[in-house]
Amino acid sequence: MRRIVPFLFGVSLVLTACGGAAPEVGADADPALAAGRTIWTRNCASCHRADGSGGRGPQLNEDRVTGRFPDVADQIELVTNGRGSMPAFSGRLSPEEIEQVTRYTREVIAPSK
Ligand code: HEC
């Protein structure tokens, strides 16, 4: 316990420094969005920041991603196959998971508050 507490404190500091927590999904929302949030936190937030405000990868929040991808199929294609420094996720996530994380970015991250 004596070691784990400072360790957890350190981890939470690092997470805070990286843009805080990913936006929450309402309890009554489609479960696919909650699944998408978990996928986002594990696979995408490191580059795009937890809130989607951008880092190594471009900003996705404040309607950016929906503006750039009016057709959701194009966004799914990009996440599946990658582009430039954006890794392809076809080998790491199933098509269903890619759809869930894409919906999370469009329906929870992107909308301007
Ligand atoms: C290693 C860092 C990295 C990770 C991890 C990463 N991305 Fe990216 N992402 C990028 C970069 C860099 C670009 C810009 C690619 C380019 O056009 O050259 C990008 C572009 C994108 C775009 C297009 C943005 C635009 O405006 O054109 C979307 C959507 C996207 N990423 C979603 C995701 C999702 C969803 C995940 C997790 C499943 C993810 N990214 C994980 C680095 C990353």
Side-chain angles (χ1 to χ4, degrees), residues 22-112:
E24 297 283 349
V25 173
D28 52 351
D30 186 337
L33 294 177
R37 180 176 185 268
T38 305
I39 297 162
W40 169 262
T41 305
R42 294 196 184 140
N43 298 279
C44 323
S46 57
C47 288
H48 292 276
R49 270 182 169 241
D51 63 357
S53 57
R56 238 183 106 186
Q59 180 182 10
L60 304 179
N61 65 359
E62 294 176 351
D63 300 323
R64 294 294 170 99
V65 78
T66 37
R68 245 179 315 241
F69 297 90
D71 184 349
V72 64
D74 294 332
Q75 190 183 339
I76 288 177
E77 202 273 335
L78 184 139
V79 176
T80 305
N81 299 320
R83 187 181 72 201
S85 320
M86 164 72 193
F89 280 88
S90 53
R92 279 187 261 178
L93 299 175
S94 69
E96 190 191 5
E97 288 170 323
I98 291 176
E99 196 185 317
Q100 288 167 340
V101 73
T102 297
R103 279 194 57 198
Y104 175 73
T105 60
R106 297 175 74 88
E107 295 172 40
V108 183
I109 295 242
S112 291

Coordinates of all heavy atoms in Angstrom, one line a residue, residues 22-112:
A22 N -11.6 11.5 -20.8 CA -12.5 11.6 -22.0 C -13.9 12.0 -21.6 O -14.4 11.5 -20.6 CB -12.5 10.3 -22.7
P23 N -14.6 12.8 -22.4 CA -16.0 13.2 -22.1 C -16.9 11.9 -21.8 O -16.8 10.9 -22.5 CB -16.5 13.9 -23.3 CG -15.2 14.4 -24.0 CD -14.2 13.4 -23.7
E24 N -17.6 12.1 -20.7 CA -18.5 11.0 -20.3 C -19.7 10.7 -21.2 O -20.1 11.7 -21.9 CB -19.1 11.3 -18.9 CG -18.1 11.5 -17.8 CD -17.6 10.1 -17.3 OE1 -18.1 9.1 -17.6 OE2 -16.6 10.2 -16.5
V25 N -20.2 9.5 -21.2 CA -21.3 9.2 -22.0 C -22.5 9.1 -21.0 O -22.3 8.5 -19.9 CB -21.1 7.8 -22.7 CG1 -22.4 7.3 -23.3 CG2 -20.0 7.9 -23.7
G26 N -23.6 9.6 -21.3 CA -24.8 9.6 -20.4 C -25.2 8.2 -20.1 O -25.1 7.3 -20.9
A27 N -25.7 7.9 -18.9 CA -26.1 6.6 -18.4 C -27.2 6.0 -19.3 O -27.2 4.8 -19.5 CB -26.6 6.6 -17.0
D28 N -28.0 6.8 -19.9 CA -29.1 6.3 -20.7 C -28.8 6.3 -22.2 O -29.6 6.0 -23.1 CB -30.4 7.1 -20.5 CG -30.2 8.6 -20.6 OD1 -29.0 9.0 -20.8 OD2 -31.2 9.4 -20.6
A29 N -27.5 6.6 -22.5 CA -27.1 6.6 -24.0 C -26.9 5.2 -24.5 O -26.8 4.2 -23.7 CB -25.8 7.4 -24.1
D30 N -26.9 5.1 -25.8 CA -26.6 3.8 -26.5 C -25.3 3.2 -25.9 O -24.3 3.9 -25.9 CB -26.4 4.1 -28.0 CG -26.3 2.9 -28.8 OD1 -25.9 1.8 -28.3 OD2 -26.6 3.0 -30.0
P31 N -25.3 1.9 -25.4 CA -24.1 1.3 -24.9 C -22.9 1.3 -25.9 O -21.8 1.2 -25.4 CB -24.6 -0.2 -24.6 CG -26.1 -0.1 -24.6 CD -26.5 1.1 -25.4
A32 N -23.2 1.4 -27.2 CA -22.1 1.4 -28.2 C -21.2 2.6 -27.9 O -20.0 2.6 -28.2 CB -22.7 1.4 -29.6
L33 N -21.8 3.7 -27.4 CA -21.0 4.9 -27.2 C -20.1 4.8 -26.0 O -19.0 5.2 -26.0 CB -21.9 6.1 -27.0 CG -22.8 6.6 -28.2 CD1 -23.7 7.7 -27.8 CD2 -21.8 6.9 -29.4
A34 N -20.6 4.1 -24.9 CA -19.7 3.8 -23.8 C -18.6 2.9 -24.2 O -17.4 3.0 -23.8 CB -20.6 3.2 -22.7
A35 N -18.9 1.9 -25.0 CA -17.8 1.0 -25.5 C -16.8 1.8 -26.4 O -15.6 1.7 -26.2 CB -18.4 -0.1 -26.4
G36 N -17.3 2.8 -27.1 CA -16.5 3.6 -28.0 C -15.6 4.5 -27.1 O -14.4 4.7 -27.4
R37 N -16.1 4.9 -25.9 CA -15.3 5.7 -25.0 C -14.1 4.9 -24.5 O -13.0 5.4 -24.4 CB -16.1 6.2 -23.9 CG -15.4 7.1 -22.9 CD -16.3 7.7 -21.8 NE -15.6 8.6 -21.0 CZ -15.0 8.2 -19.8 NH1 -15.0 7.0 -19.4 NH2 -14.4 9.2 -19.1
T38 N -14.3 3.7 -24.1 CA -13.2 2.8 -23.6 C -12.2 2.6 -24.7 O -11.0 2.7 -24.5 CB -13.8 1.5 -23.2 OG1 -14.8 1.7 -22.2 CG2 -12.7 0.6 -22.5
I39 N -12.6 2.4 -25.9 CA -11.7 2.2 -27.0 C -10.9 3.4 -27.3 O -9.7 3.4 -27.5 CB -12.5 1.7 -28.3 CG1 -13.2 0.4 -28.1 CG2 -11.6 1.6 -29.5 CD1 -14.3 0.1 -29.1
W40 N -11.6 4.6 -27.2 CA -10.9 5.9 -27.4 C -9.8 6.1 -26.4 O -8.7 6.5 -26.7 CB -12.0 7.0 -27.4 CG -11.4 8.4 -27.3 CD1 -11.3 9.1 -26.2 CD2 -10.9 9.1 -28.4 NE1 -10.7 10.3 -26.5 CE2 -10.5 10.4 -27.8 CE3 -10.9 8.9 -29.7 CZ2 -10.0 11.4 -28.6 CZ3 -10.3 10.0 -30.5 CH2 -9.9 11.2 -30.0
T41 N -10.2 5.9 -25.1 CA -9.2 6.1 -24.0 C -8.0 5.2 -24.2 O -6.9 5.7 -24.0 CB -9.9 5.8 -22.7 OG1 -11.1 6.6 -22.6 CG2 -9.0 6.1 -21.5
R42 N -8.2 4.0 -24.6 CA -7.1 3.0 -24.7 C -6.2 3.2 -26.0 O -5.0 2.9 -26.0 CB -7.6 1.6 -24.7 CG -8.2 1.3 -23.4 CD -8.4 -0.2 -23.2 NE -9.0 -0.5 -22.0 CZ -10.0 -1.4 -21.8 NH1 -10.3 -2.2 -22.8 NH2 -10.5 -1.5 -20.6
N43 N -6.9 3.6 -27.1 CA -6.2 3.6 -28.4 C -5.9 4.9 -29.0 O -5.1 5.0 -30.0 CB -7.0 2.7 -29.4 CG -7.1 1.3 -28.9 OD1 -6.2 0.5 -29.1 ND2 -8.2 1.0 -28.3
C44 N -6.6 5.9 -28.7 CA -6.6 7.2 -29.5 C -6.2 8.4 -28.7 O -5.6 9.3 -29.2 CB -8.0 7.4 -30.1 SG -8.9 5.9 -30.6
A45 N -6.6 8.4 -27.4 CA -6.4 9.7 -26.6 C -5.0 10.1 -26.5 O -4.6 11.2 -26.4 CB -7.0 9.5 -25.2
S46 N -4.0 9.1 -26.6 CA -2.6 9.4 -26.4 C -2.2 10.4 -27.5 O -1.3 11.2 -27.3 CB -1.8 8.1 -26.5 OG -2.0 7.4 -27.7
C47 N -2.7 10.3 -28.7 CA -2.4 11.2 -29.8 C -3.3 12.4 -30.0 O -2.9 13.5 -30.4 CB -2.2 10.5 -31.1 SG -0.8 9.4 -31.2
H48 N -4.6 12.1 -29.8 CA -5.6 13.2 -30.1 C -6.1 13.9 -28.8 O -6.9 14.7 -28.9 CB -6.8 12.5 -30.8 CG -6.5 12.0 -32.1 ND1 -6.6 12.8 -33.3 CD2 -6.2 10.8 -32.6 CE1 -6.3 12.1 -34.3 NE2 -6.0 10.9 -34.0
R49 N -5.5 13.5 -27.6 CA -6.0 14.0 -26.3 C -7.3 13.5 -25.9 O -8.2 13.3 -26.8 CB -6.0 15.5 -26.3 CG -4.7 16.1 -25.9 CD -4.8 17.6 -25.8 NE -3.6 18.1 -25.2 CZ -3.6 18.8 -24.0 NH1 -4.7 19.1 -23.4 NH2 -2.5 19.2 -23.5
A50 N -7.5 13.3 -24.6 CA -8.7 12.7 -24.2 C -9.9 13.4 -24.6 O -11.0 12.8 -25.0 CB -8.7 12.6 -22.6
D51 N -9.9 14.7 -24.7 CA -11.0 15.5 -25.1 C -11.1 15.8 -26.6 O -12.0 16.5 -27.0 CB -11.1 16.9 -24.3 CG -9.9 17.7 -24.6 OD1 -9.0 17.3 -25.4 OD2 -9.8 18.9 -24.1
G52 N -10.1 15.2 -27.3 CA -10.1 15.4 -28.8 C -9.6 16.7 -29.2 O -9.8 17.1 -30.4
S53 N -9.0 17.5 -28.3 CA -8.5 18.8 -28.7 C -7.2 18.8 -29.5 O -6.8 19.8 -30.0 CB -8.4 19.7 -27.5 OG -7.5 19.1 -26.6
G54 N -6.7 17.6 -29.7 CA -5.5 17.5 -30.6 C -4.2 17.5 -29.9 O -4.0 18.1 -28.8
G55 N -3.2 16.8 -30.4 CA -1.9 16.7 -29.9 C -1.0 16.3 -31.1 O -0.8 17.1 -32.0
R56 N -0.5 15.1 -31.0 CA 0.2 14.5 -32.2 C -0.7 14.4 -33.3 O -0.3 14.5 -34.5 CB 0.8 13.2 -31.8 CG 2.3 13.1 -31.9 CD 2.7 11.7 -31.6 NE 3.1 11.1 -32.8 CZ 3.5 9.8 -32.9 NH1 3.4 9.1 -31.8 NH2 3.8 9.2 -34.0
G57 N -1.9 14.0 -33.0 CA -3.0 13.9 -34.1 C -3.8 15.1 -34.1 O -3.9 15.8 -33.1
P58 N -4.5 15.4 -35.2 CA -5.3 16.6 -35.3 C -6.5 16.7 -34.3 O -7.0 15.7 -33.8 CB -5.8 16.6 -36.7 CG -5.5 15.3 -37.3 CD -4.6 14.6 -36.4
Q59 N -7.0 17.9 -34.1 CA -8.2 18.2 -33.3 C -9.4 17.5 -33.9 O -9.6 17.6 -35.1 CB -8.4 19.7 -33.2 CG -9.6 20.1 -32.4 CD -9.8 21.6 -32.4 OE1 -9.1 22.4 -33.1 NE2 -10.7 22.1 -31.5
L60 N -10.2 16.9 -33.1 CA -11.4 16.3 -33.6 C -12.7 16.9 -33.0 O -13.8 16.8 -33.5 CB -11.4 14.8 -33.3 CG -10.2 13.9 -33.7 CD1 -10.4 12.5 -33.3 CD2 -10.1 14.0 -35.2
N61 N -12.5 17.6 -31.8 CA -13.7 18.1 -31.2 C -14.1 19.4 -31.8 O -13.6 19.8 -32.9 CB -13.5 18.3 -29.7 CG -12.4 19.3 -29.3 OD1 -11.8 19.9 -30.2 ND2 -12.1 19.5 -28.0
E62 N -15.1 20.1 -31.3 CA -15.7 21.4 -31.8 C -16.0 21.2 -33.3 O -15.7 22.1 -34.1 CB -14.7 22.5 -31.6 CG -14.6 22.8 -30.1 CD -13.5 23.9 -29.7 OE1 -12.8 24.3 -30.6 OE2 -13.5 24.2 -28.5
D63 N -16.7 20.2 -33.6 CA -17.3 19.9 -34.9 C -16.2 19.7 -36.0 O -16.6 19.6 -37.2 CB -18.2 21.0 -35.4 CG -19.4 21.2 -34.4 OD1 -19.9 20.2 -34.0 OD2 -19.8 22.3 -34.2
R64 N -14.9 19.6 -35.6 CA -13.9 19.5 -36.6 C -14.1 18.2 -37.4 O -14.0 18.1 -38.7 CB -12.5 19.5 -36.0 CG -12.1 20.7 -35.4 CD -12.0 21.8 -36.4 NE -11.8 23.1 -35.8 CZ -10.6 23.7 -35.5 NH1 -9.5 23.2 -36.0 NH2 -10.6 24.8 -34.9
V65 N -14.2 17.1 -36.7 CA -14.2 15.8 -37.4 C -15.5 15.6 -38.2 O -15.4 15.1 -39.3 CB -14.0 14.6 -36.4 CG1 -15.2 14.2 -35.6 CG2 -13.4 13.4 -37.1
T66 N -16.6 16.1 -37.7 CA -17.8 15.9 -38.5 C -17.8 16.9 -39.7 O -18.3 16.5 -40.8 CB -19.1 16.2 -37.6 OG1 -18.8 17.2 -36.7 CG2 -19.5 15.0 -36.8
G67 N -17.1 18.0 -39.5 CA -17.0 18.9 -40.7 C -16.1 18.3 -41.8 O -16.4 18.5 -43.0
R68 N -15.1 17.6 -41.4 CA -14.2 17.1 -42.4 C -14.7 15.8 -43.0 O -14.2 15.4 -44.0 CB -12.8 16.9 -41.8 CG -11.8 17.8 -42.4 CD -10.4 17.7 -41.9 NE -10.3 17.6 -40.5 CZ -9.6 18.5 -39.8 NH1 -9.1 19.6 -40.3 NH2 -9.5 18.4 -38.5
F69 N -15.5 15.1 -42.2 CA -16.0 13.8 -42.7 C -17.6 13.8 -42.7 O -18.2 13.3 -41.8 CB -15.5 12.6 -41.9 CG -14.1 12.4 -41.9 CD1 -13.2 13.1 -41.0 CD2 -13.5 11.6 -42.9 CE1 -11.9 12.9 -41.0 CE2 -12.1 11.5 -42.9 CZ -11.3 12.1 -42.0
P70 N -18.2 14.5 -43.6 CA -19.7 14.6 -43.6 C -20.2 13.2 -43.8 O -21.3 12.9 -43.2 CB -20.0 15.4 -44.9 CG -18.7 16.1 -45.3 CD -17.6 15.3 -44.7
D71 N -19.5 12.3 -44.5 CA -20.0 10.9 -44.6 C -19.2 10.0 -43.6 O -18.0 9.9 -43.7 CB -19.7 10.4 -46.1 CG -20.3 9.0 -46.3 OD1 -20.6 8.3 -45.3 OD2 -20.3 8.7 -47.5
V72 N -19.9 9.4 -42.7 CA -19.2 8.6 -41.6 C -18.4 7.5 -42.2 O -17.4 7.1 -41.7 CB -20.3 8.1 -40.7 CG1 -21.3 7.1 -41.3 CG2 -19.7 7.4 -39.5
A73 N -18.8 7.0 -43.4 CA -18.0 5.9 -44.0 C -16.6 6.3 -44.3 O -15.7 5.5 -44.2 CB -18.7 5.4 -45.3
D74 N -16.4 7.6 -44.7 CA -15.0 8.0 -45.0 C -14.2 8.0 -43.7 O -13.0 7.7 -43.7 CB -15.0 9.4 -45.6 CG -15.7 9.4 -47.0 OD1 -15.7 8.4 -47.6 OD2 -16.3 10.5 -47.3
Q75 N -14.8 8.4 -42.6 CA -14.0 8.4 -41.3 C -13.7 7.0 -40.9 O -12.6 6.7 -40.4 CB -14.9 9.1 -40.3 CG -14.1 9.4 -39.0 CD -14.9 10.1 -37.9 OE1 -16.0 10.7 -38.2 NE2 -14.5 10.0 -36.7
I76 N -14.6 6.1 -41.0 CA -14.4 4.7 -40.7 C -13.3 4.1 -41.5 O -12.4 3.4 -41.1 CB -15.7 3.9 -40.8 CG1 -16.7 4.2 -39.7 CG2 -15.4 2.4 -40.9 CD1 -18.0 3.6 -39.8
E77 N -13.3 4.5 -42.8 CA -12.2 4.1 -43.7 C -10.9 4.5 -43.3 O -9.9 3.8 -43.3 CB -12.6 4.6 -45.1 CG -11.9 3.8 -46.3 CD -10.6 4.3 -46.6 OE1 -10.2 5.5 -46.4 OE2 -9.8 3.5 -47.2
L78 N -10.8 5.8 -42.8 CA -9.5 6.4 -42.4 C -9.0 5.7 -41.1 O -7.8 5.3 -41.1 CB -9.7 7.9 -42.1 CG -8.3 8.6 -41.8 CD1 -8.2 9.9 -42.4 CD2 -8.1 8.7 -40.3
V79 N -9.9 5.4 -40.2 CA -9.4 4.8 -38.9 C -9.0 3.3 -39.2 O -8.1 2.8 -38.7 CB -10.5 4.9 -37.9 CG1 -10.1 4.1 -36.6 CG2 -10.8 6.3 -37.5
T80 N -9.7 2.7 -40.2 CA -9.4 1.3 -40.5 C -8.0 1.2 -41.2 O -7.2 0.4 -40.8 CB -10.5 0.7 -41.5 OG1 -11.8 0.9 -40.8 CG2 -10.3 -0.7 -41.7
N81 N -7.8 2.1 -42.2 CA -6.6 1.9 -43.0 C -5.5 2.9 -42.7 O -4.4 2.8 -43.2 CB -7.0 2.1 -44.5 CG -8.0 1.0 -44.9 OD1 -7.8 -0.2 -44.5 ND2 -9.0 1.4 -45.7
G82 N -5.7 3.9 -41.8 CA -4.7 4.8 -41.5 C -4.4 5.8 -42.6 O -4.9 5.7 -43.7
R83 N -3.5 6.8 -42.3 CA -3.1 7.8 -43.3 C -1.9 8.5 -42.7 O -2.0 9.1 -41.6 CB -4.3 8.8 -43.6 CG -4.0 9.7 -44.7 CD -5.1 10.7 -44.9 NE -5.2 11.7 -43.9 CZ -6.3 12.4 -43.5 NH1 -7.4 12.2 -44.2 NH2 -6.2 13.3 -42.6
G84 N -0.8 8.6 -43.4 CA 0.4 9.2 -42.8 C 0.8 8.7 -41.5 O 0.9 7.5 -41.3
S85 N 0.9 9.5 -40.5 CA 1.3 9.1 -39.1 C 0.1 8.5 -38.3 O 0.2 8.1 -37.2 CB 1.9 10.2 -38.3 OG 2.7 11.0 -39.1
M86 N -1.1 8.5 -38.9 CA -2.2 7.9 -38.2 C -2.2 6.4 -38.5 O -2.3 6.0 -39.6 CB -3.5 8.6 -38.8 CG -4.8 7.9 -38.5 SD -5.3 8.0 -36.8 CE -6.6 6.7 -36.8
P87 N -2.1 5.6 -37.4 CA -1.9 4.2 -37.6 C -3.2 3.6 -38.1 O -4.3 4.1 -37.9 CB -1.6 3.6 -36.2 CG -1.7 4.8 -35.2 CD -2.0 6.0 -36.0
A88 N -3.1 2.5 -38.9 CA -4.2 1.7 -39.3 C -4.7 0.8 -38.1 O -3.9 0.2 -37.5 CB -3.9 0.8 -40.5
F89 N -6.0 0.8 -37.9 CA -6.5 0.0 -36.8 C -7.2 -1.3 -37.2 O -7.7 -2.0 -36.4 CB -7.4 0.8 -35.9 CG -6.7 1.7 -35.0 CD1 -6.3 3.0 -35.4 CD2 -6.3 1.3 -33.7 CE1 -5.5 3.8 -34.6 CE2 -5.5 2.1 -32.9 CZ -5.2 3.4 -33.3
S90 N -7.1 -1.6 -38.5 CA -7.7 -2.9 -39.0 C -7.2 -4.1 -38.3 O -8.0 -5.0 -38.0 CB -7.5 -3.0 -40.5 OG -6.2 -2.9 -40.8
G91 N -5.9 -4.1 -37.9 CA -5.4 -5.3 -37.2 C -5.6 -5.3 -35.7 O -5.4 -6.3 -35.1
R92 N -6.0 -4.2 -35.1 CA -6.1 -4.1 -33.7 C -7.5 -4.0 -33.2 O -7.8 -4.4 -32.1 CB -5.4 -2.8 -33.2 CG -3.9 -3.0 -33.1 CD -3.2 -1.8 -32.5 NE -2.7 -0.9 -33.5 CZ -2.1 0.2 -33.2 NH1 -2.0 0.7 -32.0 NH2 -1.6 0.9 -34.2
L93 N -8.4 -3.5 -34.0 CA -9.8 -3.3 -33.6 C -10.7 -4.0 -34.6 O -10.4 -4.0 -35.8 CB -10.2 -1.9 -33.5 CG -9.4 -1.0 -32.5 CD1 -9.9 0.5 -32.6 CD2 -9.7 -1.4 -31.1
S94 N -11.8 -4.6 -34.2 CA -12.7 -5.2 -35.1 C -13.5 -4.1 -35.8 O -13.6 -3.0 -35.3 CB -13.7 -6.1 -34.3 OG -14.6 -5.3 -33.5
P95 N -14.2 -4.4 -36.9 CA -15.0 -3.4 -37.6 C -16.0 -2.8 -36.7 O -16.3 -1.6 -36.7 CB -15.6 -4.2 -38.8 CG -14.7 -5.3 -39.0 CD -14.1 -5.7 -37.7
E96 N -16.6 -3.7 -35.8 CA -17.6 -3.2 -34.8 C -17.0 -2.1 -33.9 O -17.6 -1.1 -33.6 CB -18.2 -4.3 -34.1 CG -19.4 -3.9 -33.3 CD -19.9 -5.0 -32.3 OE1 -19.2 -6.0 -32.2 OE2 -20.9 -4.7 -31.6
E97 N -15.8 -2.4 -33.4 CA -15.1 -1.5 -32.5 C -14.7 -0.2 -33.2 O -14.9 0.9 -32.6 CB -13.8 -2.2 -31.9 CG -14.1 -3.3 -30.9 CD -12.9 -4.1 -30.5 OE1 -12.0 -4.3 -31.4 OE2 -12.8 -4.5 -29.4
I98 N -14.3 -0.3 -34.4 CA -14.0 0.9 -35.2 C -15.2 1.8 -35.3 O -15.2 3.0 -35.2 CB -13.3 0.6 -36.5 CG1 -11.9 0.0 -36.2 CG2 -13.2 1.8 -37.4 CD1 -11.2 -0.5 -37.5
E99 N -16.4 1.1 -35.6 CA -17.6 1.9 -35.7 C -18.0 2.5 -34.4 O -18.4 3.7 -34.3 CB -18.7 0.9 -36.2 CG -19.9 1.6 -36.7 CD -21.1 0.7 -37.0 OE1 -20.8 -0.4 -37.6 OE2 -22.2 1.0 -36.6
Q100 N -17.8 1.8 -33.3 CA -18.2 2.3 -32.0 C -17.3 3.6 -31.6 O -17.8 4.6 -31.2 CB -18.0 1.2 -30.9 CG -19.0 0.2 -31.0 CD -18.7 -1.1 -30.1 OE1 -17.6 -1.3 -29.7 NE2 -19.7 -1.8 -29.8
V101 N -16.0 3.5 -31.9 CA -15.1 4.6 -31.5 C -15.4 5.8 -32.4 O -15.3 6.9 -32.0 CB -13.6 4.2 -31.5 CG1 -13.0 4.0 -32.9 CG2 -12.8 5.2 -30.7
T102 N -15.7 5.5 -33.7 CA -16.1 6.5 -34.6 C -17.3 7.3 -34.2 O -17.4 8.5 -34.2 CB -16.2 6.0 -36.1 OG1 -14.9 5.4 -36.4 CG2 -16.6 7.0 -37.1
R103 N -18.3 6.5 -33.8 CA -19.6 7.1 -33.3 C -19.3 7.9 -32.0 O -19.8 9.0 -31.9 CB -20.6 6.0 -32.9 CG -21.3 5.5 -34.2 CD -22.6 4.7 -33.8 NE -23.5 5.5 -32.9 CZ -24.4 4.9 -32.2 NH1 -24.6 3.6 -32.2 NH2 -25.2 5.7 -31.4
Y104 N -18.4 7.4 -31.2 CA -18.1 8.2 -29.9 C -17.5 9.6 -30.3 O -17.8 10.6 -29.8 CB -17.1 7.4 -29.1 CG -16.7 8.2 -27.8 CD1 -17.5 8.4 -26.8 CD2 -15.4 8.7 -27.8 CE1 -17.1 9.2 -25.7 CE2 -14.9 9.4 -26.7 CZ -15.8 9.6 -25.6 OH -15.4 10.4 -24.6
T105 N -16.5 9.5 -31.3 CA -15.9 10.8 -31.7 C -17.0 11.8 -32.3 O -16.9 13.0 -32.0 CB -14.7 10.7 -32.7 OG1 -15.2 10.0 -33.9 CG2 -13.6 9.9 -32.1
R106 N -17.9 11.3 -33.1 CA -18.8 12.1 -33.8 C -20.0 12.6 -32.9 O -20.5 13.7 -33.0 CB -19.4 11.4 -35.0 CG -18.4 11.0 -36.0 CD -19.1 10.2 -37.1 NE -19.9 11.0 -38.0 CZ -19.5 11.7 -39.1 NH1 -18.2 11.6 -39.4 NH2 -20.3 12.4 -39.8
E107 N -20.4 11.7 -32.0 CA -21.6 12.0 -31.2 C -21.3 12.6 -29.8 O -22.2 13.2 -29.2 CB -22.5 10.7 -31.1 CG -23.0 10.3 -32.4 CD -23.7 8.9 -32.4 OE1 -24.5 8.7 -31.4 OE2 -23.5 8.2 -33.4
V108 N -20.1 12.3 -29.3 CA -19.8 12.7 -27.9 C -18.6 13.8 -27.9 O -18.7 14.8 -27.3 CB -19.4 11.5 -27.0 CG1 -19.2 12.0 -25.5 CG2 -20.6 10.5 -27.0
I109 N -17.6 13.5 -28.7 CA -16.4 14.4 -28.7 C -16.7 15.6 -29.5 O -16.4 16.7 -29.2 CB -15.2 13.6 -29.2 CG1 -14.8 12.5 -28.3 CG2 -14.0 14.6 -29.5 CD1 -13.5 12.6 -27.6
A110 N -17.2 15.4 -30.7 CA -17.2 16.4 -31.7 C -18.2 17.6 -31.4 O -17.8 18.7 -31.5 CB -17.5 15.9 -33.1
P111 N -19.4 17.3 -31.0 CA -20.4 18.4 -30.9 C -19.9 19.6 -30.1 O -19.5 19.4 -28.9 CB -21.6 17.8 -30.3 CG -21.5 16.3 -30.5 CD -20.0 16.0 -30.5
S112 N -20.0 20.8 -30.6 CA -19.7 22.0 -29.8 C -20.7 22.1 -28.7 O -21.9 21.9 -28.9 CB -19.7 23.2 -30.7 OG -18.7 23.2 -31.7

